[in-house]
Amino acid sequence: MPHTPEADEDDLDAVPPPQPVFHAEQALLGALLLDPHRLDDVNGITPDSFSTAAHAALYAAITTVPRPDPAEHAQNTKWLDRVLAAGLEQARGLTATYLHTLIQVCPWPRHAPAYALMVEAEYARRRLLTAAERLIHTVHDASLPHPVQTVLAEADALASVVDDIANRFPPRSGVLPRTPAPPHAAPDHTEAVEEEQLLLATATARPDDIDAVRCLVPDDLTLPLHAGLWQCLTTLARRNEPVDPVTVLWEAQQRGLLDNGSEPGEVLRMLAEPAGSVEHWAERALQRSLLATAEHTGRRIEAYAGDPANTPFQLVVGARRALADIAAARTRWQHATGGTPPQQRRPAPAIRAGPPTTTAAHTARSTRATR
């Protein structure tokens, strides 16, 4: 006869099993409920360090209710009753039965410092994950009036979290996260392609302006062909050789840029339509590159922090290496825009979400410059 599930059985099956840190929290709380004096051996954690509201409320109660006399505590449950009453003010689901369960599941109360370190390590991972997610959301916030400055501030907030974790868990040399870095996200070519074409055409028409945008490197451009053509332009300009659509096309052929099927006529037409200024389009490309770098950095750290097998030591090393990419992009941006604001540490802003957009390049065509 087939098994007929009870009314709530399917719902129970849908509940995921608790993570290891949940058991570490139970063991720590049980140790403190059984021997409150072991609070002296526990440091580095706060109620926020716990993964559930009930555990956070219970830890807050344990640390605020005056400790009982050890002999009296061994004889009655008065102190446990006071702790329960205080915890119920923050978490209505707590019961006396659960407090006794915590005491029973604690293997060794004297291991409370080890349990606390586990709780602290998991909290560090959650903090890093949250900060990385905020950075990613900020990159995609279309409402920001100054996206670069806001994203860099968010990167500083993420770096501050990493520094806090490093102070408690100093990184060990050579200990890298075991998690592979995620691939770069596919860029949105909608406006980037047109803006980069305008950059290449305008630089071809005004090669003397290329030297003013030396901070822009080929990797800042989204398409391999565009990156290669920019390298052609900068090389010709550096050699003081003639620059025009034909000379750039010839240099592109020498570099094998046309081997991927690019038509010479299409390249010539693209390079023959300048508009605006080289500085403007270079700054647009550099901004796009910086935001893409920030997003990839956030996703790298998100992947590291999302893997519970990584220790806090590994998270610190991996996060700092990832943040170095933003630091390099920041330096080039500041040189390009003439600003060198200091890095700031501040609380992370609220998460904002939205698709990334840029000003349509076609608006510049109305002010197209004469070659």
Side-chain angles (χ1 to χ4, degrees):
M1 185 174 181
H3 169 69
T4 302
E6 298 295 333
D8 297 332
E9 187 172 328
D10 289 340
D11 293 338
L12 292 176
D13 289 341
V15 177
Q19 297 298 312
V21 69
F22 181 82
H23 301 287
E25 292 175 4
Q26 284 189 319
L28 173 61
L29 294 171
L32 298 179
L33 290 171
L34 186 62
D35 295 330
H37 69 278
R38 295 193 182 277
L39 270 172
D40 295 333
D41 303 325
V42 174
N43 53 57
I45 62 174
T46 67
D48 290 338
S49 303
F50 291 83
S51 63
T52 72
H55 287 179
L58 187 53
Y59 182 78
I62 292 172
T63 56
T64 55
V65 174
R67 300 183 198 178
D69 176 76
E72 180 183 355
H73 184 56
Q75 298 297 324
N76 58 60
T77 63
K78 291 182 179 180
W79 183 77
L80 294 179
D81 294 338
R82 289 195 293 270
V83 167
L84 177 60
L88 283 171
E89 296 178 3
Q90 301 297 325
R92 304 302 300 174
L94 284 174
T95 64
T97 300
Y98 188 61
L99 267 61
H100 289 288
T101 298
L102 293 175
I103 294 174
Q104 292 172 358
V105 300
C106 177
W108 293 101
R110 65 174 179 268
H111 292 169
Y115 304 145
L117 194 62
M118 298 173 193
V119 172
E120 185 182 1
E122 181 65 15
Y123 179 52
R125 189 176 69 84
R126 292 200 307 272
R127 287 182 63 203
L128 191 60
L129 182 61
T130 300
E133 290 172 344
R134 285 197 181 109
L135 175 60
I136 296 169
H137 279 288
T138 303
V139 169
H140 289 274
D141 187 350
S143 68
L144 297 175
H146 305 290
V148 170
Q149 291 85 342
T150 307
V151 165
L152 290 177
E154 200 64 59
D156 289 340
L158 174 56
S160 181
V161 172
V162 176
D163 290 342
D164 288 344
I165 297 173
N167 288 335
R168 180 60 174 160
F169 299 93
R172 298 168 182 170
S173 177
V175 182
L176 294 172
R178 71 178 194 112
T179 313
H184 286 269
D188 181 4
H189 295 318
T190 306
E191 291 178 319
V193 169
E194 189 172 2
E195 290 186 359
E196 290 173 7
Q197 289 175 347
L198 290 170
L199 166 68
L200 295 168
T202 308
T204 301
R206 304 184 184 90
D208 291 342
D209 294 342
I210 294 176
D211 188 60
V213 293
R214 287 175 295 173
C215 294
L216 187 71
V217 298
D219 286 344
D220 290 327
L221 304 186
T222 57
L223 295 183
L225 176 62
H226 293 177
L229 290 174
W230 181 251
Q231 196 166 24
C232 292
L233 279 162
T234 56
T235 299
L236 291 173
R238 187 176 63 252
R239 295 174 184 165
N240 291 319
E241 296 183 6
V243 177
D244 62 39
V246 174
T247 61
V248 175
L249 177 66
W250 186 257
E251 182 72 17
Q253 176 179 272
Q254 302 303 302
R255 294 173 177 268
L257 297 179
L258 306 182
D259 295 345
N260 61 359
S262 298
E263 293 289 340
E266 299 254 345
V267 174
L268 287 175
R269 282 191 291 273
M270 176 180 68
L271 297 177
E273 297 184 356
S277 69
V278 175
E279 292 84 354
H280 171 74
W281 299 123
E283 184 174 317
R284 294 284 296 165
L286 191 57
Q287 173 177 313
R288 188 180 299 107
S289 176
L290 187 149
L291 295 179
T293 298
E295 179 181 16
H296 185 62
T297 295
R299 294 201 181 281
R300 281 178 64 185
I301 297 175
E302 181 185 47
Y304 297 153
D307 186 350
N310 288 322
T311 67
F313 311 102
Q314 292 173 305
L315 294 178
V316 169
V317 173
R320 282 181 168 171
R321 290 200 175 191
L323 286 166
D325 292 341
I326 295 184
R330 179 202 298 263
T331 299
R332 291 194 296 115
W333 171 261
Q334 291 173 348
H335 282 303
T337 58
T340 55
Q343 295 187 12
Q344 299 178 350
R345 295 288 187 260
R346 64 170 184 79
I351 293 177
R352 300 175 180 177
T357 60
T358 58
T359 304
H362 64 78
T363 57
R365 292 190 181 275
S366 60
T367 58
R368 180 173 300 168
T370 302
R371 289 183 293 166

